[in-house]
PDB file of all heavy atoms in Angstrom:
ATOM      1  N   ALA X  60     -18.305 -18.655  -4.359  1.00 88.00           N
ATOM      2  CA  ALA X  60     -17.108 -17.821  -4.482  1.00 88.00           C
ATOM      3  C   ALA X  60     -16.117 -18.448  -5.451  1.00 88.00           C
ATOM      4  O   ALA X  60     -15.509 -17.750  -6.277  1.00 88.00           O
ATOM      5  CB  ALA X  60     -16.461 -17.624  -3.114  1.00 88.00           C
ATOM      6  N   GLU X  61     -15.951 -19.768  -5.362  1.00 88.00           N
ATOM      7  CA  GLU X  61     -15.048 -20.473  -6.268  1.00 88.00           C
ATOM      8  C   GLU X  61     -15.518 -20.349  -7.712  1.00 88.00           C
ATOM      9  O   GLU X  61     -14.707 -20.295  -8.642  1.00 88.00           O
ATOM     10  CB  GLU X  61     -14.959 -21.940  -5.869  1.00 88.00           C
ATOM     11  CG  GLU X  61     -13.894 -22.713  -6.622  1.00 88.00           C
ATOM     12  CD  GLU X  61     -13.733 -24.132  -6.119  1.00 88.00           C
ATOM     13  OE1 GLU X  61     -14.374 -24.481  -5.108  1.00 88.00           O
ATOM     14  OE2 GLU X  61     -12.965 -24.885  -6.730  1.00 88.00           O
ATOM     15  N   GLU X  62     -16.835 -20.261  -7.902  1.00 87.00           N
ATOM     16  CA  GLU X  62     -17.408 -20.113  -9.250  1.00 87.00           C
ATOM     17  C   GLU X  62     -17.486 -18.644  -9.667  1.00 87.00           C
ATOM     18  O   GLU X  62     -18.055 -18.326 -10.706  1.00 87.00           O
ATOM     19  CB  GLU X  62     -18.810 -20.731  -9.275  1.00 87.00           C
ATOM     20  CG  GLU X  62     -18.815 -22.240  -9.043  1.00 87.00           C
ATOM     21  CD  GLU X  62     -20.220 -22.799  -8.838  1.00 87.00           C
ATOM     22  OE1 GLU X  62     -21.171 -21.980  -8.706  1.00 87.00           O
ATOM     23  OE2 GLU X  62     -20.371 -24.028  -8.803  1.00 87.00           O
ATOM     24  N   THR X  63     -16.919 -17.748  -8.853  1.00 85.00           N
ATOM     25  CA  THR X  63     -16.921 -16.282  -9.047  1.00 85.00           C
ATOM     26  C   THR X  63     -18.335 -15.705  -9.090  1.00 85.00           C
ATOM     27  O   THR X  63     -18.568 -14.644  -9.659  1.00 85.00           O
ATOM     28  CB  THR X  63     -16.144 -15.860 -10.322  1.00 85.00           C
ATOM     29  OG1 THR X  63     -16.840 -16.320 -11.486  1.00 85.00           O
ATOM     30  CG2 THR X  63     -14.725 -16.386 -10.311  1.00 85.00           C
ATOM     31  N   ASN X  64     -19.278 -16.400  -8.473  1.00 88.00           N
ATOM     32  CA  ASN X  64     -20.633 -15.871  -8.321  1.00 88.00           C
ATOM     33  C   ASN X  64     -20.680 -15.193  -6.954  1.00 88.00           C
ATOM     34  O   ASN X  64     -21.244 -15.720  -5.990  1.00 88.00           O
ATOM     35  CB  ASN X  64     -21.661 -16.990  -8.415  1.00 88.00           C
ATOM     36  CG  ASN X  64     -23.084 -16.475  -8.459  1.00 88.00           C
ATOM     37  OD1 ASN X  64     -23.334 -15.303  -8.166  1.00 88.00           O
ATOM     38  ND2 ASN X  64     -24.021 -17.339  -8.798  1.00 88.00           N
ATOM     39  N   PHE X  65     -20.064 -14.004  -6.861  1.00 86.00           N
ATOM     40  CA  PHE X  65     -19.828 -13.376  -5.567  1.00 86.00           C
ATOM     41  C   PHE X  65     -21.098 -12.840  -4.904  1.00 86.00           C
ATOM     42  O   PHE X  65     -21.172 -12.790  -3.676  1.00 86.00           O
ATOM     43  CB  PHE X  65     -18.785 -12.266  -5.718  1.00 86.00           C
ATOM     44  CG  PHE X  65     -17.435 -12.773  -6.151  1.00 86.00           C
ATOM     45  CD1 PHE X  65     -16.959 -12.519  -7.435  1.00 86.00           C
ATOM     46  CD2 PHE X  65     -16.655 -13.530  -5.295  1.00 86.00           C
ATOM     47  CE1 PHE X  65     -15.722 -12.998  -7.837  1.00 86.00           C
ATOM     48  CE2 PHE X  65     -15.414 -14.013  -5.694  1.00 86.00           C
ATOM     49  CZ  PHE X  65     -14.955 -13.749  -6.965  1.00 86.00           C
ATOM     50  N   VAL X  66     -22.068 -12.440  -5.687  1.00 87.00           N
ATOM     51  CA  VAL X  66     -23.314 -11.946  -5.098  1.00 87.00           C
ATOM     52  C   VAL X  66     -24.001 -13.055  -4.307  1.00 87.00           C
ATOM     53  O   VAL X  66     -24.445 -12.859  -3.167  1.00 87.00           O
ATOM     54  CB  VAL X  66     -24.259 -11.402  -6.196  1.00 87.00           C
ATOM     55  CG1 VAL X  66     -25.618 -11.037  -5.593  1.00 87.00           C
ATOM     56  CG2 VAL X  66     -23.650 -10.178  -6.871  1.00 87.00           C
ATOM     57  N   GLU X  67     -24.081 -14.240  -4.899  1.00 90.00           N
ATOM     58  CA  GLU X  67     -24.686 -15.373  -4.205  1.00 90.00           C
ATOM     59  C   GLU X  67     -23.818 -15.811  -3.026  1.00 90.00           C
ATOM     60  O   GLU X  67     -24.335 -16.209  -1.969  1.00 90.00           O
ATOM     61  CB  GLU X  67     -24.891 -16.540  -5.175  1.00 90.00           C
ATOM     62  CG  GLU X  67     -25.987 -16.324  -6.196  1.00 90.00           C
ATOM     63  CD  GLU X  67     -27.355 -16.159  -5.550  1.00 90.00           C
ATOM     64  OE1 GLU X  67     -27.588 -16.763  -4.484  1.00 90.00           O
ATOM     65  OE2 GLU X  67     -28.168 -15.391  -6.091  1.00 90.00           O
ATOM     66  N   ALA X  68     -22.516 -15.739  -3.194  1.00 90.00           N
ATOM     67  CA  ALA X  68     -21.605 -16.113  -2.104  1.00 90.00           C
ATOM     68  C   ALA X  68     -21.837 -15.216  -0.898  1.00 90.00           C
ATOM     69  O   ALA X  68     -21.948 -15.694   0.246  1.00 90.00           O
ATOM     70  CB  ALA X  68     -20.156 -16.013  -2.576  1.00 90.00           C
ATOM     71  N   VAL X  69     -21.926 -13.921  -1.156  1.00 90.00           N
ATOM     72  CA  VAL X  69     -22.154 -12.961  -0.073  1.00 90.00           C
ATOM     73  C   VAL X  69     -23.485 -13.229   0.618  1.00 90.00           C
ATOM     74  O   VAL X  69     -23.602 -13.161   1.849  1.00 90.00           O
ATOM     75  CB  VAL X  69     -22.110 -11.517  -0.617  1.00 90.00           C
ATOM     76  CG1 VAL X  69     -22.712 -10.542   0.397  1.00 90.00           C
ATOM     77  CG2 VAL X  69     -20.678 -11.111  -0.937  1.00 90.00           C
ATOM     78  N   SER X  70     -24.496 -13.537  -0.164  1.00 90.00           N
ATOM     79  CA  SER X  70     -25.809 -13.833   0.398  1.00 90.00           C
ATOM     80  C   SER X  70     -25.741 -15.003   1.380  1.00 90.00           C
ATOM     81  O   SER X  70     -26.323 -14.963   2.475  1.00 90.00           O
ATOM     82  CB  SER X  70     -26.801 -14.147  -0.728  1.00 90.00           C
ATOM     83  OG  SER X  70     -28.073 -14.465  -0.199  1.00 90.00           O
ATOM     84  N   CYS X  71     -25.015 -16.044   1.004  1.00 90.00           N
ATOM     85  CA  CYS X  71     -24.860 -17.211   1.878  1.00 90.00           C
ATOM     86  C   CYS X  71     -24.067 -16.866   3.140  1.00 90.00           C
ATOM     87  O   CYS X  71     -24.442 -17.243   4.262  1.00 90.00           O
ATOM     88  CB  CYS X  71     -24.160 -18.338   1.126  1.00 90.00           C
ATOM     89  SG  CYS X  71     -25.147 -19.079  -0.194  1.00 90.00           S
ATOM     90  N   PHE X  72     -22.956 -16.133   2.969  1.00 92.00           N
ATOM     91  CA  PHE X  72     -22.138 -15.765   4.125  1.00 92.00           C
ATOM     92  C   PHE X  72     -22.897 -14.821   5.060  1.00 92.00           C
ATOM     93  O   PHE X  72     -22.751 -14.890   6.280  1.00 92.00           O
ATOM     94  CB  PHE X  72     -20.827 -15.119   3.670  1.00 92.00           C
ATOM     95  CG  PHE X  72     -19.891 -16.065   2.970  1.00 92.00           C
ATOM     96  CD1 PHE X  72     -19.206 -15.669   1.817  1.00 92.00           C
ATOM     97  CD2 PHE X  72     -19.686 -17.345   3.443  1.00 92.00           C
ATOM     98  CE1 PHE X  72     -18.342 -16.534   1.162  1.00 92.00           C
ATOM     99  CE2 PHE X  72     -18.823 -18.227   2.800  1.00 92.00           C
ATOM    100  CZ  PHE X  72     -18.149 -17.816   1.655  1.00 92.00           C
ATOM    101  N   ASP X  73     -23.688 -13.912   4.475  1.00 90.00           N
ATOM    102  CA  ASP X  73     -24.506 -13.011   5.297  1.00 90.00           C
ATOM    103  C   ASP X  73     -25.421 -13.808   6.217  1.00 90.00           C
ATOM    104  O   ASP X  73     -25.554 -13.509   7.407  1.00 90.00           O
ATOM    105  CB  ASP X  73     -25.361 -12.097   4.405  1.00 90.00           C
ATOM    106  CG  ASP X  73     -24.565 -10.952   3.785  1.00 90.00           C
ATOM    107  OD1 ASP X  73     -23.439 -10.695   4.244  1.00 90.00           O
ATOM    108  OD2 ASP X  73     -25.080 -10.319   2.844  1.00 90.00           O
ATOM    109  N   GLU X  74     -26.058 -14.820   5.668  1.00 88.00           N
ATOM    110  CA  GLU X  74     -26.983 -15.641   6.452  1.00 88.00           C
ATOM    111  C   GLU X  74     -26.233 -16.411   7.533  1.00 88.00           C
ATOM    112  O   GLU X  74     -26.646 -16.428   8.689  1.00 88.00           O
ATOM    113  CB  GLU X  74     -27.739 -16.617   5.540  1.00 88.00           C
ATOM    114  CG  GLU X  74     -28.812 -15.967   4.688  1.00 88.00           C
ATOM    115  CD  GLU X  74     -29.874 -15.283   5.535  1.00 88.00           C
ATOM    116  OE1 GLU X  74     -30.325 -15.883   6.535  1.00 88.00           O
ATOM    117  OE2 GLU X  74     -30.246 -14.148   5.207  1.00 88.00           O
ATOM    118  N   ALA X  75     -25.141 -17.046   7.155  1.00 88.00           N
ATOM    119  CA  ALA X  75     -24.391 -17.852   8.121  1.00 88.00           C
ATOM    120  C   ALA X  75     -23.859 -17.000   9.270  1.00 88.00           C
ATOM    121  O   ALA X  75     -23.875 -17.418  10.438  1.00 88.00           O
ATOM    122  CB  ALA X  75     -23.243 -18.567   7.416  1.00 88.00           C
ATOM    123  N   SER X  76     -23.394 -15.796   8.957  1.00 89.00           N
ATOM    124  CA  SER X  76     -22.791 -14.941   9.986  1.00 89.00           C
ATOM    125  C   SER X  76     -23.807 -14.398  10.978  1.00 89.00           C
ATOM    126  O   SER X  76     -23.437 -13.883  12.035  1.00 89.00           O
ATOM    127  CB  SER X  76     -22.035 -13.784   9.325  1.00 89.00           C
ATOM    128  OG  SER X  76     -22.928 -12.939   8.611  1.00 89.00           O
ATOM    129  N   LYS X  77     -25.092 -14.501  10.663  1.00 86.00           N
ATOM    130  CA  LYS X  77     -26.128 -14.056  11.601  1.00 86.00           C
ATOM    131  C   LYS X  77     -26.179 -14.957  12.838  1.00 86.00           C
ATOM    132  O   LYS X  77     -26.582 -14.533  13.910  1.00 86.00           O
ATOM    133  CB  LYS X  77     -27.501 -14.073  10.922  1.00 86.00           C
ATOM    134  CG  LYS X  77     -27.734 -13.002   9.878  1.00 86.00           C
ATOM    135  CD  LYS X  77     -29.124 -13.166   9.284  1.00 86.00           C
ATOM    136  CE  LYS X  77     -29.388 -12.155   8.171  1.00 86.00           C
ATOM    137  NZ  LYS X  77     -30.729 -12.356   7.566  1.00 86.00           N
ATOM    138  N   TYR X  78     -25.788 -16.221  12.677  1.00 83.00           N
ATOM    139  CA  TYR X  78     -26.010 -17.212  13.716  1.00 83.00           C
ATOM    140  C   TYR X  78     -24.740 -17.727  14.382  1.00 83.00           C
ATOM    141  O   TYR X  78     -24.799 -18.312  15.461  1.00 83.00           O
ATOM    142  CB  TYR X  78     -26.786 -18.396  13.128  1.00 83.00           C
ATOM    143  CG  TYR X  78     -28.007 -17.960  12.363  1.00 83.00           C
ATOM    144  CD1 TYR X  78     -28.061 -18.063  10.979  1.00 83.00           C
ATOM    145  CD2 TYR X  78     -29.102 -17.407  13.025  1.00 83.00           C
ATOM    146  CE1 TYR X  78     -29.177 -17.645  10.270  1.00 83.00           C
ATOM    147  CE2 TYR X  78     -30.225 -16.991  12.326  1.00 83.00           C
ATOM    148  CZ  TYR X  78     -30.261 -17.099  10.944  1.00 83.00           C
ATOM    149  OH  TYR X  78     -31.361 -16.676  10.256  1.00 83.00           O
TER     150      TYR X  78
END
Side-chain angles (χ1 to χ4, degrees):
E61 188 175 354
E62 295 170 351
T63 67
N64 188 346
F65 297 109
V66 174
E67 289 298 328
V69 165
S70 179
C71 291
F72 292 137
D73 283 346
E74 286 300 316
S76 64
K77 289 179 183 178
Y78 310 109

